[in-house]
Amino acid sequence: MIKKRPKSLVLFGNGINCEKETYFAHKVAGFYPDLVYVNELLEKPNLIHKYDFITLPGGFLDGDDLGSARAQAIKWKYQQLKGKEGFFVDELVKFVADGKLILGICNGFQLLVKCGLLPRLDENHKDQVATLTFNDSGRFENRWVYLKVNKNSPCVFLQDLDRLYLPIRHGEGKFISINEKVLARIREENHIALQYTDKEGKVTQDYPYNPNGSQEAIAGICDKIGRICGLMPHPEAYFEKLHHPRWTREEIEGEPDGLKIFKNAYSYCTENL
Amino acid sequence: MVFRIEVAYKEGIRDVLGEKIRRSLVRNFGFDIHKVTIVDVYTIDADIPEWVIERLKIDGFCDPVIQSSYVNEPCPIVGDWAIEVGFKPGVTDNVGRTAKEVIEAVSNYNFKFTEGVYTSRLYMIWGNLKEDEVKKIAEEALANVLIQNYRYKDRKRYIDEKGMGTLVPKPKGGTSMVVETFSLKMGIDSWMRLSKERTWALSEEEIRAIISYYKRNDVKEERRRIGLSEDPTDVEIEAIAQTWSEHCKHKIFNATIEYEQDGQKETINSIFKTFIVRATEEIRNKKGKRDFCLSVFTDNAGVISFNRKYNLAFKVETHNTPSALDPYGGALTGIVGVNRDPFGTGKGSKLIFNTDVFCFAPPDFEGKIPPRLFHPKRVLEGVREGVEHGGNKSGIPTVNGSITFHERFLGKPLVFCGTCGVMPKKIRGEPSYLKGAKRGDLIVMVGGRIGKDGIHGATFSSEELSESSPTSAVQIGDPITQKRMTDFLLLARDKGLYNSITDCGAGGLSSSVGEMARDTNGCVIYLDKPPLKYEGLSPWEILLSEAQERMTLAVPPQKIDAFMSLSKKMGVESTVIGEFTDTGKFHCLYRNQTVAYIDMDFLHNGLPKMILKAKWERKISEGDIPIEPTDYNQVLLDVLKRWNVCSKEYVVRQYDHEVQAQTIIKPLVGNENDGPSDASVLKPDPESNEAIVISHGICPKFSEFDTYHMAACAITEAIANNLAVGGTLKKMALLDNFCWPDPVESERNPDGSYKLAQLVRAAKALYDFAKLYGTPFISGKDSMKNDYVYGDIKISIPPTVLISALSIIDDPYKVVTMDFKEPESLIVIIGLTFPELGGSEYFGLFKKSGGIFPKVRGRLAKKIFLKLDKATNKRLFLSCHDVSDGGLACALAECAFSGGLGAEVDLSKVPVINVYTNDYILFSESANRFVVTVRERDFRAFEALFNGLPYNVVGKVRKDDRFVIKGIDGKVIINIDLKSLKDAWKSPFMAHFG
């Protein structure tokens, strides 16, 4: 039987600004992507169900005016949907329950966390139990970082990956959980997907390797089933060799690290959906 | 009902922004402050249901993980002092607007026109401060009193009065919306006084031209027929003044100039046409079929062909005066403003990169700051942040730029912002770079609303900065409103929903509609139609407001419904405000009354031509030179620490330079991603190989000697930077930006004719060198009154030319970066070193400025450029770096520490002319030189290519971290490790801003 090529949704508008390259990374990985305007989701929430994979790209939703992604998070949590009970977050939960995937990058990660969709302990998305806030440096920074994948994480996007090199570009990327207990659960239940490391691959709290001072050097987390994932680094910024900051001086071998993440999503979709 | 919501950090949560403010207050004022924390305040003035506040209190206004919010009660955190800073009534409040949108989305409540959300910041400060110190902090660090109000309380008063209390900065609704008229019987003195008072910036001659127009019998007759007074209305005079402003008409650049040099006289009929346009025309003719220019000097940006699928539109603007008054808002508006230039070029383009070049006084300036000016450190930080927010939030990477320092930029900082857009070659079968309004098309204003912000920006920037500079000239940009607008308009473009588009910037609707109406020869504008931010604007204010984030479009009537419905769907406000006509009139109505009725021909062509005098005097500068140093290690470290040499990484890192995933050579390169790249390279189309190399050149420090050579150095440096990375002359376009002190002689400006001669000479150089290199100008801008005048104090900037260079290459793999890459590779210096240290960083270090300054040997430069292009095609270089500020010594050090590899260099091998001492070889700033490294096995190919040109192997790359330089007598004069060099180079920004 010939399987159909998976379809994916890349959100854009209202301050999202990485849609072009995210769209392209989807395409290179094998998906049929569509760009969907963010306001359209609240008007036609059912729209998402024809897709297999949703990416919330980076950017500045509403200018990060009430704190990163907060304004959009409020709309997804509290704005009455047209002709339908419930809120848009509930729709996303249904989407994931169908075995489908959601990836939030940078501002998209902030949005998932502030909507309660990550870490989603006990599969509860009503409460926000973690946040991403101002970097310890007090500055927005564009910087390439060394990353390590948590081998025990169920995250489908990071399966069989170990160490990655990707850029971060954010001012609010410091991961904080609401209390020690939540942090302990995030750690012990393997919600940690990706951590900042030094050049040698050792998880670190030292600036600038850990660019923001995140607890546990967290760069990305996932939900319990590993199908919702958020990360601060930008995989869509490294889908070809020439994106690497040192391609003029180093041999860059193999597939670009960012592309690997989208290819994992693709493999999952083709095998499971 | 008014709600005051305070949002504070929970106990134990770090407030990093508060800490950052504390650090800067301690560093900049030396005050005894041990803690600062920030409380965000939302003042909601609206009849919204209380349940909405209750819901949003939990996680709407605050982040429940780290913050708590308090409704109508002060937060429990109380410092020794509390300072609250909020916007003045009517100033754009972006966060307030977003808060309002959120409340509306959650509650289904629609805010009334007079209701609103206002944000402010409450700073809690712990420390031993006196009241005057608190005021100083408020005025000099926390608030910009031009656009913000502040209030403060000490701990006791704060507690006694139960917090700050509620304050609603609602704009006062105006009552009188009268249209004034000005009597034609008034004497010229009265007119001139009015011109000054009302910031018209009209000259006596211009006023006479206006009066004689209104006294024409045919004009009187037509005015009578339409029911308008013979006397001009305020709407009309404001529209004319704005259209005729220096900012819009470039009167000086287009003036007739009697130029005198060495006793010879010549008449120059427009600097712009004679030197800039003519250079481009001649180059394009010579290129013939290889010409890649599509639209030059006519549209908002210059358009060139990129590849078979796309064109590029590129523009660089300045936003100097607004940045002097409000560094953050001015620079933010500068960047989002220039975004609208390529966006409004042709049928519109998608924006793919920004550039930014700043000129400031040194951040360690210790002199007295004249009234109304800010300390250069505050200017730098404000401008940096403005461009950060403008660029980052718009999703446009900032890929190229620099910061140049000179004490005289205290008078006015220069803020150059550039943007490039990409457009498909054809849109619905029509060439994308062409546009035109058609008779009957509706005039549609899209984007933000109109307020009093930025009124008179166009005329005001045509005057010097003085005590009477109007506060209304400042706007605050909003990248998100603009992003929504551009997302919408690109879709509308591809659906073919409009015929023409232009930026609504300087001069507001008056300028944008006035310009577009030239396509059809007329327009009608209904000034009561545009949506306002608040009541109280007179018709002329509506016409002239420079409120941001607006575009003006010509939409055919049959497409207006589709246009408006797409606009609504994408959350963008669009309003039909009139129609393009062929009546020959610029016609405005307000509430059915005609308030302006001017002949299009007079409006656009009635401006009398300016006639100016320029006289060049050769200034001979004494060769006052420093004594040759003994400790070269130290001198090298000191030169690396010069503001013009040191690392700007602090600024670069805070700009997103990779969004859109196309930046294949980033501004920071090398083994630790922190070396200074000469240029950036972008590959905007992932499906094809063509790439853009973007660079610039600027060197105002040579202006005091001779602006001809200053401009020659700037254009050569821009091209050298481009070629160093792998660019090509074959498909290279240039942009020129002139920033000058007032070049019109008057009582207050006695050396005006010299400054004008400096302008002529700079433009001549650009003509000569652009022609020689075969690189056309495609767009540019001039800004002419960069002076500060206050009482007896006058500070004029050094004449400055910025050249931006953009070249297109077919093969991205030819590009090369500046960092050393392989031990044992040969270090080769290409180009000649002359004893040219006038204006150099080395002389500057010893407070000497005299001597011989750099001159460009153009023919040699061109030969070298052509060979560099070939060499990079053949992949002959491991690294290549242009030599500029700080000379060879700094260039070599930068290559070494950026590559993490040491060097061994013998100065006796450097190709020189008349240079006899080590310090001159190390620190001369002769133009057009390159440090390259070549593998031993490639050297024969290198020699074959560069045969006949000045070059020499001066040493080798080492595998360790030692940087060793042998003097001309064979003795080692510099021996130092790379870390010391890099640390010194990074130290100035770390110490002052880190």
Side-chain angles (χ1 to χ4, degrees):
Chain A
M1 190 185 86
I2 298 167
K3 281 201 152 183
K4 70 174 180 33
R5 220 164 140 184
K7 281 178 69 80
S8 62
L9 185 160
V10 176
L11 208 59
F12 88 102
N14 200 27
I16 289 174
N17 61 33
C18 300
E19 73 271 14
K20 185 185 91 171
E21 60 270 37
T22 305
Y23 176 88
F24 209 82
H26 276 226
K27 228 167 118 178
V28 177
F31 288 100
Y32 278 120
D34 279 336
L35 284 167
V36 174
Y37 192 65
V38 60
N39 292 4
E40 217 170 327
L41 295 184
L42 293 167
E43 308 253 328
K44 302 177 204 152
N46 288 335
L47 185 85
I48 58 172
H49 298 298
K50 68 175 184 185
Y51 297 96
D52 305 302
F53 170 36
I54 297 175
T55 297
L56 315 175
F60 288 84
L61 279 164
D62 298 283
D64 278 0
D65 282 343
L66 307 181
S68 58
R70 178 149 307 279
Q72 193 66 45
I74 297 167
K75 290 181 199 163
W76 283 13
K77 279 169 81 170
Y78 298 134
Q79 185 176 342
Q80 195 55 56
L81 294 176
K82 282 223 174 115
K84 198 167 185 167
E85 280 295 300
F87 301 104
F88 186 66
V89 274
D90 305 320
E91 217 57 46
L92 288 172
V93 169
K94 272 187 234 159
F95 178 84
V96 178
D98 289 344
K100 297 174 172 183
L101 304 179
I102 301 177
L103 177 65
I105 302 164
C106 196
N107 201 220
F109 181 22
Q110 293 161 339
L111 178 56
L112 289 173
V113 166
K114 291 176 186 188
C115 280
L117 288 169
L118 281 175
R120 208 161 71 108
L121 299 176
D122 305 320
E123 304 203 359
N124 164 19
H125 65 275
K126 295 293 173 214
D127 300 315
Q128 182 190 335
V129 295
T131 196
L132 290 151
T133 184
F134 294 103
N135 300 347
D136 276 348
S137 66
R139 295 194 286 265
F140 176 101
E141 286 195 340
N142 182 342
R143 183 187 289 286
W144 283 67
V145 291
Y146 297 93
L147 300 156
K148 189 178 150 96
V149 174
N150 173 12
K151 286 217 162 51
N152 300 318
S153 150
C155 183
V156 302
F157 298 93
L158 300 171
Q159 287 307 300
D160 305 319
L161 301 180
D162 178 15
R163 289 173 62 180
L164 301 170
Y165 189 51
L166 292 171
I168 54 110
R169 307 191 306 255
H170 64 247
E172 298 180 45
K174 180 167 73 168
F175 185 90
I176 297 183
S177 31
I178 197 159
N179 54 41
E180 281 302 319
K181 208 174 131 201
V182 165
L183 185 63
R185 289 193 59 191
I186 287 173
R187 185 178 51 231
E188 282 149 27
E189 295 171 22
N190 285 308
H191 287 284
I192 297 177
L194 205 56
Q195 287 166 297
Y196 301 109
T197 72
D198 59 19
K199 270 187 201 167
E200 281 68 46
K202 202 170 129 277
V203 171
T204 181
Q205 287 302 120
D206 294 342
Y207 177 85
Y209 295 113
N210 177 336
N212 46 41
S214 279
Q215 288 177 340
E216 303 277 339
I218 287 173
I221 59 171
C222 62
D223 71 339
K224 200 173 161 184
I225 45 178
R227 292 202 295 267
I228 307 179
C229 172
L231 71 170
M232 287 315 294
H234 287 268
E236 82 291 356
Y238 183 24
F239 64 80
E240 65 173 301
K241 178 186 149 182
L242 295 177
H243 294 144
H244 193 286
R246 296 189 299 275
W247 70 268
T248 61
R249 59 177 293 126
E250 290 173 13
E251 284 304 320
I252 314 290
E253 279 164 16
E255 210 155 51
D257 286 354
L259 188 57
K260 290 175 187 164
I261 289 176
F262 294 99
K263 286 215 163 167
N264 269 342
Y266 179 79
S267 311
Y268 172 88
C269 290
T270 46
E271 285 158 25
N272 297 281
L273 297 174
Chain B
M1 174 98 197
V2 178
F3 303 91
R4 178 182 165 95
I5 301 169
E6 296 191 357
V7 179
Y9 283 102
K10 289 182 180 172
E11 222 182 295
I13 299 292
R14 248 182 100 176
D15 174 4
V16 293
L17 300 187
E19 289 172 18
K20 192 173 159 186
I21 288 167
R22 188 196 77 89
R23 281 197 304 272
S24 94
L25 292 178
V26 171
R27 188 163 52 204
N28 296 341
F29 298 102
F31 293 152
D32 176 18
I33 297 172
H34 26 274
K35 188 180 166 190
V36 176
T37 189
I38 297 170
V39 177
D40 287 319
V41 183
Y42 299 87
T43 303
I44 302 168
D45 177 23
D47 283 325
I48 45 174
E50 281 194 43
W51 67 264
V52 178
I53 298 291
E54 284 306 309
R55 170 168 281 182
L56 292 178
K57 183 188 164 182
I58 302 162
D59 63 356
F61 298 108
C62 74
D63 186 325
V65 175
I66 51 175
Q67 295 169 321
S68 306
S69 50
Y70 304 85
V71 180
N72 292 337
E73 58 167 327
C75 75
I77 301 164
V78 187
D80 295 329
W81 290 90
I83 305 175
E84 184 167 343
V85 178
F87 290 112
K88 287 186 172 173
V91 174
T92 306
D93 181 345
N94 295 325
V95 180
R97 189 219 51 227
T98 301
K100 182 181 132 187
E101 283 174 6
V102 163
I103 294 170
E104 290 189 331
V106 172
S107 67
N108 278 326
Y109 176 86
N110 286 319
F111 274 63
K112 296 189 199 78
F113 188 71
T114 50
E115 295 179 333
V117 181
Y118 308 92
T119 60
S120 51
R121 257 189 175 175
L122 180 58
Y123 298 87
M124 289 294 177
I125 301 177
W126 289 261
N128 189 9
L129 293 168
K130 294 189 205 66
E131 187 170 346
D132 59 327
E133 291 171 336
V134 172
K135 275 171 93 166
K136 196 175 165 73
I137 288 172
E139 285 177 16
E140 292 178 27
L142 302 180
N144 179 354
V145 292
L146 197 62
I147 51 167
Q148 290 169 317
N149 285 323
Y150 71 90
R151 50 197 183 127
Y152 60 88
K153 289 181 181 179
D154 62 17
R155 188 182 177 85
K156 184 173 176 311
R157 216 178 122 208
Y158 185 88
I159 292 169
D160 289 349
E161 295 175 5
K162 300 195 171 53
M164 295 306 287
T166 303
L167 191 84
V168 184
K170 187 191 290 201
K172 282 195 196 75
T175 44
S176 76
M177 241 57 72
V178 238
V179 173
E180 274 184 86
T181 55
F182 305 106
S183 169
L184 288 170
K185 297 193 180 81
M186 262 192 316
I188 193 79
D189 291 346
S190 312
W191 277 99
M192 288 304 289
R193 201 167 49 245
L194 272 175
S195 172
K196 184 83 198 157
E197 278 168 21
R198 302 198 175 210
T199 327
W200 292 340
L202 289 167
S203 72
E204 200 173 311
E205 215 188 341
E206 287 158 2
I207 287 172
R208 286 187 204 283
I210 294 170
I211 294 172
S212 67
Y213 166 77
Y214 279 92
K215 285 189 173 167
R216 267 164 48 186
N217 283 333
D218 59 324
V219 172
K220 282 187 187 170
E221 175 56 33
E222 278 181 330
R223 294 177 76 80
R224 218 177 356 257
R225 218 169 37 224
I226 202 142
L228 197 57
S229 70
E230 283 186 7
D231 293 332
T233 65
D234 55 2
V235 182
E236 292 175 317
I237 298 292
E238 293 282 355
I240 294 169
Q242 174 286 129
T243 309
W244 290 7
S245 66
E246 176 57 41
H247 186 94
C248 293
K249 281 285 186 219
H250 306 278
K251 294 181 273 199
I252 296 169
F253 237 49
N254 286 304
T256 299
I257 297 173
E258 302 293 338
Y259 179 75
E260 189 182 337
Q261 176 180 340
D262 306 326
Q264 304 266 336
K265 287 190 183 174
E266 66 176 302
T267 303
I268 295 160
N269 196 354
S270 168
I271 290 179
F272 178 56
K273 294 206 175 81
T274 309
F275 301 117
I276 309 295
V277 176
R278 187 161 61 101
T280 297
E281 281 171 357
E282 291 173 5
I283 293 162
R284 291 184 67 183
N285 281 339
K286 201 173 165 205
K287 277 192 175 283
K289 279 190 182 156
R290 288 172 298 117
D291 178 25
F292 54 88
C293 299
L294 295 171
S295 163
V296 293
F297 306 120
T298 47
D299 210 330
N300 292 316
V303 185
I304 59 171
S305 173
F306 174 59
N307 63 10
R308 274 182 303 173
K309 287 188 329 205
Y310 297 105
N311 298 329
L312 298 176
F314 191 19
K315 173 74 170 204
V316 177
E317 270 277 8
T318 48
H319 221 229
N320 308 334
T321 308
S323 303
L325 294 171
D326 173 17
Y328 173 78
L332 173 59
T333 314
I335 192 75
V336 294
V338 75
N339 287 168
R340 292 193 302 272
D341 279 324
F343 190 78
T345 295
K347 294 262 171 50
S349 63
K350 177 175 165 39
L351 309 176
I352 56 167
F353 71 80
N354 286 336
T355 63
D356 65 82
V357 174
F358 309 139
C359 299
F360 300 128
D364 53 0
F365 179 82
E366 285 180 347
K368 199 169 150 16
I369 303 295
R372 289 204 77 162
L373 296 178
F374 295 117
H375 191 276
K377 210 169 184 173
R378 184 168 180 190
V379 177
L380 189 153
E381 193 52 21
V383 168
R384 185 207 60 67
E385 196 180 6
V387 173
E388 176 197 325
H389 288 173
N392 293 2
K393 290 191 176 181
S394 306
I396 304 166
T398 300
V399 299
N400 185 253
S402 67
I403 312 178
T404 297
F405 296 94
H406 191 292
E407 288 219 347
R408 294 216 316 266
F409 290 119
L410 183 68
K412 227 184 226 187
L414 302 185
V415 176
F416 299 91
C417 295
T419 304
C420 182
V422 60
M423 50 170 84
K425 280 239 140 58
K426 287 197 167 166
I427 289 166
R428 298 176 82 83
E430 301 280 323
S432 58
Y433 62 89
L434 298 176
K435 63 181 167 193
K438 295 195 172 65
R439 182 171 59 91
D441 280 357
L442 300 169
I443 306 171
V444 182
M445 184 182 110
V446 180
R449 294 184 153 225
I450 294 180
K452 294 202 180 200
D453 23 352
I455 284 173
H456 282 145
T459 46
F460 162 58
S461 67
S462 313
E463 293 185 334
E464 82 265 349
L465 184 57
S466 72
E467 60 268 41
S468 62
S469 300
T471 56
S472 65
V474 176
Q475 320 98 330
I476 294 191
D478 176 16
I480 291 310
T481 300
Q482 182 148 311
K483 183 84 170 83
R484 287 176 181 159
M485 175 178 76
T486 53
D487 284 346
F488 154 54
L489 287 175
L490 286 176
L491 288 180
R493 177 194 75 179
D494 295 341
K495 289 175 191 279
L497 297 181
Y498 56 80
N499 285 334
S500 187
I501 178 169
T502 201
D503 166 29
C504 193
L509 290 170
S510 164
S511 171
S512 63
V513 180
E515 280 298 315
M516 286 169 94
R518 296 172 87 165
D519 293 344
T520 62
N521 195 31
C523 62
V524 182
I525 311 174
Y526 302 96
L527 290 175
D528 44 1
K529 298 271 197 233
L532 306 180
K533 290 182 183 171
Y534 39 81
E535 292 294 342
L537 270 75
S538 303
W540 73 264
E541 291 178 308
I542 295 168
L543 186 64
L544 260 76
S545 165
E546 296 182 9
Q548 292 291 296
E549 291 81 43
R550 291 182 297 154
M551 302 294 287
T552 305
L553 283 89
V555 179
Q558 67 274 21
K559 293 189 174 159
I560 192 70
D561 291 344
F563 183 90
M564 296 306 261
S565 90
L566 183 62
S567 177
K568 188 161 179 247
K569 185 181 146 198
M570 298 190 65
V572 178
E573 190 162 32
S574 298
T575 316
V576 176
I577 60 163
E579 192 182 314
F580 291 104
T581 64
D582 58 1
T583 58
K585 303 291 177 200
F586 180 83
H587 187 181
C588 300
L589 295 99
Y590 186 73
R591 295 180 182 162
N592 298 323
Q593 292 275 314
T594 289
V595 293
Y597 197 71
I598 315 169
D599 279 288
M600 287 290 293
D601 182 53
F602 175 71
L603 184 64
H604 289 290
N605 306 318
L607 170 68
K609 195 163 175 146
M610 213 178 228
I611 298 168
L612 298 171
K613 280 194 165 33
K615 190 173 179 195
W616 172 249
E617 298 152 40
R618 215 166 282 280
K619 296 203 168 167
I620 309 233
S621 108
E622 286 303 313
D624 179 17
I625 58 170
I627 309 159
E628 192 178 342
T630 47
D631 184 354
Y632 273 103
N633 278 352
Q634 191 54 47
V635 173
L636 175 54
L637 293 174
D638 289 344
V639 176
L640 285 169
K641 285 186 208 163
R642 300 274 300 164
W643 286 108
N644 283 334
V645 178
C646 70
S647 169
K648 314 297 187 291
E649 182 185 353
Y650 167 80
V651 176
V652 177
R653 261 209 205 292
Q654 295 186 72
Y655 294 155
D656 187 331
H657 44 259
E658 294 183 88
V659 61
Q660 300 192 23
Q662 54 188 9
T663 317
I664 61 167
I665 295 297
K666 307 173 207 302
L668 298 168
V669 296
N671 71 327
E672 289 180 315
N673 304 340
D674 58 1
S677 186
D678 292 297
S680 285
V681 183
L682 282 87
K683 196 167 78 66
D685 180 359
E687 286 167 324
S688 80
N689 259 338
E690 290 90 354
I692 305 168
V693 183
I694 171 76
S695 62
H696 71 276
I698 184 169
C699 40
K701 61 188 188 182
F702 300 136
S703 288
E704 61 174 302
F705 306 109
D706 185 342
T707 49
Y708 182 90
H709 297 290
M710 176 275 287
C713 283
I715 184 172
T716 305
E717 190 192 328
I719 296 174
N721 279 325
N722 204 290
L723 270 293
V725 173
T728 178
L729 283 183
K730 284 182 212 139
K731 220 174 163 186
M732 179 184 286
L734 305 178
L735 272 71
D736 60 288
N737 283 78
F738 287 78
C739 282
W740 235 249
D742 188 358
V744 179
E745 190 150 315
S746 68
E747 254 175 55
R748 294 163 62 197
N749 190 34
D751 59 349
S753 70
Y754 173 68
K755 289 173 187 155
L756 187 62
Q758 287 184 302
L759 184 65
V760 171
R761 282 190 64 75
K764 269 188 177 180
L766 293 193
Y767 172 81
D768 292 347
F769 284 85
K771 277 272 320 251
L772 179 66
Y773 300 141
T775 47
F777 297 102
I778 56 165
S779 181
K781 196 72 196 260
D782 59 280
S783 158
M784 285 298 165
K785 308 263 170 150
N786 292 291
D787 309 87
Y788 167 87
V789 182
Y790 199 104
D792 300 338
I793 315 167
K794 179 169 178 184
I795 309 171
S796 298
I797 64 149
T800 303
V801 172
L802 167 70
I803 299 295
S804 306
L806 182 158
S807 77
I808 296 163
I809 54 175
D810 303 328
D811 172 13
Y813 291 93
K814 76 171 287 202
V815 305
V816 60
T817 51
M818 48 73 67
D819 43 312
F820 285 162
K821 296 189 179 66
E822 279 181 20
E824 298 300 312
S825 56
L826 304 176
I827 302 173
V828 186
I829 288 171
I830 304 171
L832 289 170
T833 300
F834 294 85
E836 295 174 327
L837 286 98
S840 70
E841 296 305 319
Y842 172 65
F843 275 19
L845 179 65
F846 296 100
K847 308 259 183 298
K848 313 277 185 199
S849 69
I852 298 162
F853 51 89
K855 294 189 185 69
V856 181
R857 285 84 185 162
R859 273 192 297 270
L860 175 60
K862 185 175 183 185
K863 280 183 195 155
I864 292 176
F865 289 154
L866 292 172
K867 297 292 183 187
L868 286 176
D869 187 6
K870 290 208 167 97
T872 46
N873 276 336
K874 290 177 197 268
R875 322 273 203 268
L876 284 181
F877 299 157
L878 284 167
S879 70
C880 180
H881 191 24
D882 165 58
V883 179
S884 64
D885 297 283
L888 274 181
C890 291
L892 285 162
E894 285 167 0
C895 296
F897 62 62
S898 301
L901 295 169
E904 185 107 23
V905 172
D906 181 351
L907 292 187
S908 70
K909 303 274 172 56
V910 176
V912 297
I913 303 280
N914 298 333
V915 180
Y916 309 106
T917 56
N918 291 323
D919 56 345
Y920 272 45
I921 300 175
L922 287 169
F923 299 113
S924 163
E925 296 191 9
S926 290
N928 183 40
R929 293 176 299 159
F930 300 86
V931 173
V932 304
T933 53
V934 181
R935 285 193 182 105
E936 193 116 37
R937 64 165 193 263
D938 290 331
F939 190 64
R940 283 183 63 180
F942 174 94
E943 282 193 302
L945 190 60
F946 283 85
N947 182 28
L949 292 174
Y951 71 86
N952 207 9
V953 178
V954 300
K956 276 187 180 179
V957 175
R958 290 169 67 114
K959 60 173 181 288
D960 62 8
D961 70 339
R962 300 306 301 181
F963 184 76
V964 182
I965 292 189
K966 258 196 296 188
I968 38 186
D969 59 359
K971 281 192 201 129
V972 170
I973 55 169
I974 293 176
N975 185 348
I976 193 164
D977 64 292
L978 297 179
K979 185 170 184 306
S980 303
L981 292 171
K982 200 192 233 181
D983 286 351
W985 180 69
K986 286 192 172 190
S987 65
F989 270 83
M990 296 292 272
H992 286 269
F993 299 94

